[in-house]
Amino acid sequence: MEGPLYQKWVDAGYFTPAPEPPPGAEQFVIVLPPPNVTGSLHIGHALNHSAQDVVVRRRRMQRYDTLWLPGMDHAGIATQNVVERELAKEGLSRHDLGREKFVERVWEWKAAFGGEILGQMRRLGDSVDWTRERFTLDPGLSRAVHTMFHRLYHDNLIYRAERIIHWCPRCMTALSDIEVEHEDVDGELISIRYGSGDHSIVVATTRAETMLGDTGVAVHPDDERYRHLVGQQVELPLTGRLIPIVADDSVDPDFGTGAVKVTPGHDPNDFEIGQRHGLPALIVLDERGNVTAPGPFLGLDRFEARPAVVAALKEEGRIVAEKRPYTHSVGHCSRCGTVVEPRLSLQWFVKVEPLAREAGQAVRDGRTKFVPEDMARRYFDWVDNMHDWCISRQLWWGHRIPIWYGPNGEQACPGPDEKPPDGWTQDVDVLDTWFSSGLWPFSTLGWPEDTADLGRFYPSTVLITGYDIIFFWVARMMMFGIYALKRPPFATVSVTGLVRDQGGKKMSKSAGNVIDPLEWMDRYGTDATRLTLLRGAHPGTDVSVSEDWAAGSRAFCNKLWNATRFALLNGAVVGELPPSEELSTPDRWILSRLTATVAEVDRRYEQFEIARACEVLYRFTWDELCDWYLELAKGPLARGGVEAANTRLVLGHVLDVVLRLLHPVIPYVTETLWTALTGAESVVIAPWPSLDEGRPDPVAESDVLTLMRLVTEVRRFRSEQGVKPGRKLAARLSGIKGSVAAPYEAEIRALARLELPGPGFSSGAQLPVDGVVVEIDLAGAVDYVAERKRLERDLGQVVKELAQVTAKLDNDQFKSRAPSEVVDEMRARQARANIEINRLQSQLDGLPS
RNA sequence: GGGCGUUUAGCUCAGCUGGAAGAGCGCUUCCCUUACAAGGAAGAGGUCGGCGGUUCGAGCCCGUCAACGCCCACCA
């Protein structure tokens, strides 16, 4: 039913806000983190989108002016890689096509295969406004990107400089810090002697090949071992070059030999040392990672060059100690896994400090709140320590940098409506994909134009996202939003955890523990999949999911289905409820429990405690509604008359309310059941339940508790005595007259399977409960076979324990106690066991055969 | 190297401001009772990671140790 229902909702326009904001309605806007155009729905999306959908659907039912805007990110490197791989199959590279043709090809790819995830979002039930779908490369959004760049440039917040950046030799582009993943790698620390005799110094390195680019050696200024060498020159092996020894505070005298080889062209620290001491930066690796230094290594790949350089050094007797295993952290390209190479290169940067300061301030002064609050700390860690952001990428897929260069080396940044001077050429690089993502909360609404949507829907109310992207994405939206519109882009950032497997491990393809939400939707249904994830979605904490949970969620949906079916078969209707005085105690009880449920569910939702809300609803529906109320309703329904009419109304009402409460979590099942129950158009646009729809009734609650205790006591007695569930017991309920349970004797008898006492009744067992005594005639009622089996089992257990007494004492006690004590203890245990055996045996003997 | 988090029943996890230990799954026993066997009824199972402290009272607060996990990072 899922597909047609979703289509019905879209066709009816439920997810699209009214053309004009309804008078008096407050806005509720949620920012969808735009998935990559190459993406496919994974379990993390499923959790995140479900959580967002819950919040949005509830607000919509509460009659907020609600917008959830969908769209996709062009995902620069990721997408370009996909298309490049496709071209490779045809034996082509992007250079064979040329820039224009290649970009065309990417657009064709997008039209044919991109955006698969949008269909998957429909499937998941995301109640997004498809009429406002956006893509980061749409003309409007590109205009926003250009405008933003233009403004930042003229505010001196964007600059171009030669810096050491992370370079991916496979993608052949610069990367920002966040596109690099650090991983511990086992390497070797190699000690090399530079210079000779008194004029020599030993340095340590893990990247031997970079020595080809060394232009100095640095030591700590206070290091006595090397003081005499500072200012001198040593010979760089294999090259014959002389390089100076400099003194620099950044050197740790306790690490390695206390002397550092300085490679300003390929190491960020070394670059800074080089700047301080006027050491030139040599580039010895090209953009593919091949050696460019003249000599025998020219053209070798960096990983071929490393052993080759070591071998050559060895031959010259330059390797001092044996190479030592050394674990250190190495950066990898987050897109392709290639080891990144630090490389000096001319790139564009955003000057982050002033923007990040504002972004931090907005959270510090409470304009934007984190839920849970602790998550703000992670955010501060990030915004307070951000480096300048490298935004240029040597790619073709993306927003081209809006800078033009003149014939004499001038540069200009015209605005989106200005023309660059004739004959000038545009920068060939594109912008980091996160640059446009950072504008998402307002570029999607028409900024920089002063559109109606922008006024109506900015800033947004809440952002719901996993903590894994707080840093790069959230921080960037905050910086840009505050810069462009003077207000942070959202009032609340609600953080969800990551989805993990049953062992709490992160899901990854290599670990083979990935759960595919699409497969779950096939096997358990979309609603069960959503419920499974949401039942674990405590704010900010990771969710461990498993098949068991999914099966449990499916069972819940099924339970709800069957309960509603039962209600409809018995004529449940939604209508005006009779006054409480006319209702039975169970009717008043369930209405009272409903009030409590509405109140608690609402409170939990309000605080993003979706898991708690689900739990409360689960408990109410299953334990109270199905296990007790439905059972208690069967009597009145069968008896007919006013009782039955009232019960039908109460049942219809309770289901009406509980289905509306559940709708945000399990939209499809609730839509089907609620429309069947009410005959109304759709639960999507039904009003959110209010407290008025329940009736608190402490007296009914306590009375029904008594009734439950009576039934449960009898059931326990039956179970313990081995009475078959099907067998009815003759019983007298003495003292029930005048008790609160009096009107429900019939219900109690039905639920506990008790018959009226007949002639010759004899009271064999008495169960006192709240002033009522249930007297049961045991004649012929007890299943002595079952009782005998039970006693025999217990007896066997005690005999076994007796046999183990000696062994247990050996293990546990013998060493630490005096032998006489041990013997005493053993005798005591044997005595206790024998008493128990005798007791059980005599009970067994006393049973009728 | 820095920061954060977790540790409660066999498994996965709740437990709000300290006031008599909870759920789901699994397990045991019985039951196809006309909404539901993807179900019903009744049970077993925990020294709340260790140690120390505060308190009339600690799963919850403080200290400390341990194990596990995550994030950040320009340690040659």
Side-chain angles (χ1 to χ4, degrees):
Chain A
M1 301 183 177
E2 293 168 4
L5 285 179
Y6 192 83
Q7 198 53 49
K8 165 188 152 187
W9 295 334
V10 171
D11 291 345
Y14 296 154
F15 305 155
T16 302
E20 292 297 320
E26 203 178 314
Q27 275 71 33
F28 183 82
V29 186
I30 186 160
V31 176
L32 174 81
N36 287 354
V37 61
T38 54
S40 177
L41 192 84
H42 61 65
I43 197 84
H45 289 127
L47 166 64
N48 207 242
H49 286 223
S50 299
Q52 294 178 71
D53 198 39
V54 164
V55 171
V56 169
R57 283 179 186 268
R58 171 165 169 268
R59 288 300 191 211
R60 191 178 290 118
M61 290 171 79
Q62 288 177 324
R63 304 291 182 254
Y64 279 73
D65 183 20
T66 305
L67 174 66
W68 189 18
L69 184 148
M72 287 188 296
D73 194 288
H74 67 280
I77 302 185
T79 312
Q80 177 158 331
N81 282 353
V82 168
V83 177
E84 280 192 276
R85 267 200 296 276
E86 251 192 17
L87 283 176
K89 285 184 204 148
E90 303 164 26
L92 295 171
S93 80
R94 65 173 149 133
H95 302 283
D96 294 328
L97 293 191
R99 183 168 191 145
E100 210 169 307
K101 282 264 186 276
F102 177 78
V103 170
E104 241 171 65
R105 179 76 186 248
V106 181
W107 279 106
E108 283 166 19
W109 178 89
K110 182 200 175 241
F113 307 108
E116 191 186 21
I117 196 167
L118 297 179
Q120 295 165 342
M121 285 166 57
R122 289 186 175 84
R123 177 120 194 255
L124 192 61
D126 285 359
S127 60
V128 294
D129 178 8
W130 292 108
T131 68
R132 282 180 169 82
E133 184 190 334
R134 297 286 186 269
F135 182 54
T136 46
L137 283 175
D138 285 347
L141 277 75
S142 296
R143 187 178 164 79
V145 166
H146 190 155
T147 305
M148 191 66 173
F149 189 101
H150 177 76
R151 290 200 191 169
L152 289 167
Y153 180 85
H154 291 287
D155 275 350
N156 293 320
L157 291 170
I158 281 185
Y159 64 92
R160 194 183 196 210
E162 271 212 317
R163 290 280 181 84
I164 298 275
I165 44 84
H166 300 290
W167 182 268
C168 176
R170 203 220 62 85
C171 301
M172 293 212 287
T173 179
L175 302 173
S176 66
D177 294 349
I178 59 165
E179 289 167 309
V180 176
E181 284 167 4
H182 291 267
E183 211 177 301
D184 278 348
V185 166
D186 293 328
E188 289 163 338
L189 195 59
I190 297 165
S191 299
I192 309 168
R193 181 179 300 279
Y194 285 10
S196 55
D198 289 347
H199 240 73
S200 77
I201 191 163
V202 176
V203 299
T205 183
T206 54
R207 295 191 294 157
E209 73 283 5
T210 61
M211 59 88 53
L212 299 170
D214 285 3
T215 55
V217 173
V219 298
H220 195 272
D222 301 334
D223 196 330
E224 296 295 340
R225 293 170 294 178
Y226 303 119
R227 182 160 283 174
H228 65 289
L229 288 171
V230 172
Q232 310 267 358
Q233 303 226 321
V234 286
E235 182 210 342
L236 182 66
L238 306 179
T239 65
R241 289 202 331 259
L242 288 176
I243 56 176
I245 295 172
V246 300
D248 194 277
D249 286 334
S250 70
V251 179
D252 174 4
D254 296 327
F255 186 93
T257 60
V260 189
K261 60 190 274 307
V262 182
T263 322
H266 292 282
D267 185 279
N269 273 330
D270 293 5
F271 178 74
E272 302 207 342
I273 295 174
Q275 295 268 294
R276 287 195 283 271
H277 302 278
L279 306 176
L282 292 183
I283 303 286
V284 293
L285 294 170
D286 66 14
E287 65 271 18
R288 290 172 200 274
N290 296 332
V291 174
T292 57
F297 309 106
L298 179 66
L300 284 183
D301 173 81
R302 57 197 164 135
F303 295 119
E304 296 165 1
R306 186 168 301 168
V309 167
V310 172
L313 288 167
K314 204 162 204 168
E315 206 157 297
E316 287 196 6
R318 296 290 189 165
I319 305 292
V320 175
E322 269 313 299
K323 43 197 182 182
R324 225 173 65 220
Y326 179 67
T327 304
H328 61 134
S329 179
V330 174
H332 295 73
C333 172
S334 65
R335 278 297 148 205
C336 71
T338 305
V339 173
V340 301
E341 199 62 39
R343 191 162 184 275
L344 186 64
S345 135
L346 187 60
Q347 304 286 348
W348 287 95
F349 295 87
V350 170
K351 193 177 182 181
V352 157
E353 200 273 331
L355 298 168
R357 189 162 11 102
E358 290 295 318
Q361 189 52 36
V363 175
R364 285 184 221 278
D365 65 23
R367 277 176 291 160
T368 297
K369 282 201 313 276
F370 275 81
V371 178
E373 286 175 39
D374 314 350
M375 282 296 165
R377 225 175 338 193
R378 272 175 193 264
Y379 172 82
F380 292 136
D381 280 351
W382 182 259
V383 294
D384 294 345
N385 299 301
M386 221 164 158
H387 296 156
D388 279 359
W389 170 18
C390 176
I391 52 171
S392 44
R393 295 289 178 278
Q394 288 65 51
L395 303 172
W396 290 349
W397 176 245
H399 301 98
R400 198 157 163 182
I401 291 180
I403 292 282
W404 277 259
Y405 302 100
N408 301 317
E410 316 97 312
Q411 65 185 40
C413 179
D417 298 321
E418 295 163 353
K419 275 214 166 76
D422 281 348
W424 288 38
T425 53
Q426 188 174 3
D427 196 297
V428 295
D429 289 348
V430 300
L431 287 165
D432 180 7
T433 199
W434 291 100
F435 192 94
S436 52
S437 319
L439 310 179
W440 186 255
F442 47 95
S443 63
T444 52
L445 300 174
W447 186 88
E449 305 323 315
D450 185 20
T451 60
D453 266 11
L454 188 64
R456 181 172 168 193
F457 298 122
Y458 188 94
S460 62
T461 322
V462 61
L463 170 74
I464 299 183
T465 181
Y467 60 67
D468 49 335
I469 57 170
I470 285 182
F471 319 109
F472 34 106
W473 190 48
V474 178
R476 273 158 203 189
M477 286 190 289
M478 289 289 284
M479 294 194 306
F480 282 172
I482 294 168
Y483 174 78
L485 288 145
K486 311 289 172 240
R487 276 185 299 175
F490 13 76
T492 301
V493 178
S494 164
V495 181
T496 58
L498 304 183
V499 182
R500 299 178 180 281
D501 72 2
Q502 306 157 64
K505 290 269 184 306
K506 204 169 170 174
M507 287 188 189
S508 70
K509 280 180 197 139
S510 54
N513 60 350
V514 174
I515 290 173
D516 180 359
L518 299 164
E519 195 192 310
W520 270 23
M521 285 192 262
D522 285 339
R523 286 165 49 211
Y524 299 102
T526 293
D527 285 343
T529 301
R530 290 169 58 119
L531 180 58
T532 302
L533 294 166
L534 293 170
R535 272 201 292 163
H538 295 95
T541 61
D542 292 343
V543 187
S544 286
V545 295
S546 67
E547 299 271 340
D548 285 345
W549 277 68
S553 303
R554 178 180 55 185
F556 176 79
C557 295
N558 196 44
K559 191 79 179 171
L560 188 64
W561 183 278
N562 282 312
T564 309
R565 188 175 67 166
F566 169 82
L568 292 174
L569 284 172
N570 283 283
V573 285
V574 177
E576 180 102 2
L577 284 181
S580 286
E581 306 83 70
E582 293 171 24
L583 293 177
S584 70
T585 301
D587 288 341
R588 286 185 282 118
W589 169 75
I590 197 69
L591 290 173
S592 183
R593 296 304 307 144
L594 183 67
T595 322
T597 303
V598 171
E600 170 137 31
V601 166
D602 219 36
R603 198 182 98 230
R604 297 300 186 178
Y605 274 142
E606 201 63 40
Q607 292 164 2
F608 299 98
E609 292 178 348
I610 298 171
R612 297 304 303 273
C614 289
E615 194 192 329
V616 171
L617 283 164
Y618 190 100
R619 293 261 73 82
F620 174 77
T621 304
W622 204 308
D623 298 350
E624 301 188 303
L625 181 58
C626 290
D627 286 350
W628 286 102
Y629 184 72
L630 253 43
E631 294 305 323
L632 286 166
K634 284 175 184 174
L637 288 171
R639 289 195 288 273
V642 181
E643 283 190 279
N646 285 351
T647 300
R648 289 191 188 106
L649 281 165
V650 172
L651 193 49
H653 177 74
V654 173
L655 276 171
D656 166 26
V657 173
V658 82
L659 287 169
R660 277 184 281 142
L661 288 174
L662 280 164
H663 175 254
V665 177
I666 47 174
Y668 293 114
V669 171
T670 49
E671 173 75 339
T672 307
L673 297 178
W674 192 81
T675 51
L677 177 72
T678 62
E681 184 184 321
S682 172
V683 69
V684 175
I685 49 166
W688 184 247
S690 75
L691 284 177
D692 311 338
E693 299 186 63
R695 292 181 187 175
D697 193 330
V699 176
E701 293 220 14
S702 121
D703 289 357
V704 170
L705 227 47
T706 297
L707 189 159
M708 287 169 154
R709 266 201 290 270
L710 271 162
V711 172
T712 304
E713 271 306 307
V714 175
R715 283 171 172 170
R716 182 181 302 130
F717 175 80
R718 296 175 59 112
S719 176
E720 280 170 0
Q721 297 301 315
V723 181
K724 296 266 185 196
R727 170 170 262 153
K728 297 206 166 178
L729 295 180
R732 184 160 59 205
L733 276 57
S734 58
I736 194 166
K737 284 212 169 60
S739 113
V740 295
Y744 305 103
E745 184 167 340
E747 275 69 36
I748 292 165
R749 286 181 178 279
L751 295 183
R753 305 209 140 238
L754 298 175
E755 289 180 327
L756 292 167
F761 176 85
S762 89
S763 176
Q766 289 85 35
L767 309 174
V769 179
D770 292 355
V772 180
V773 179
V774 183
E775 296 180 70
I776 298 172
D777 188 344
L778 293 175
V782 176
D783 181 347
Y784 294 109
V785 178
E787 176 70 356
R788 183 176 288 276
K789 255 166 65 184
R790 189 176 69 82
L791 286 169
E792 280 169 356
R793 199 176 54 241
D794 289 356
L795 195 58
Q797 186 63 34
V798 180
V799 169
K800 214 168 93 188
E801 276 168 21
L802 181 59
Q804 287 171 350
V805 163
T806 314
K808 278 193 172 176
L809 283 172
D810 272 349
N811 291 338
D812 303 347
Q813 315 273 353
F814 199 68
K815 282 177 192 158
S816 58
R817 287 212 200 170
S820 61
E821 265 186 82
V822 175
V823 171
D824 287 348
E825 173 72 21
M826 196 186 302
R827 285 194 179 130
R829 288 192 187 192
Q830 282 172 341
R832 281 200 298 272
N834 280 322
I835 290 168
E836 181 69 6
I837 287 170
N838 287 335
R839 194 181 63 80
L840 290 168
Q841 190 63 54
S842 69
Q843 273 187 32
L844 207 48
D845 293 344
L847 284 179
S849 56

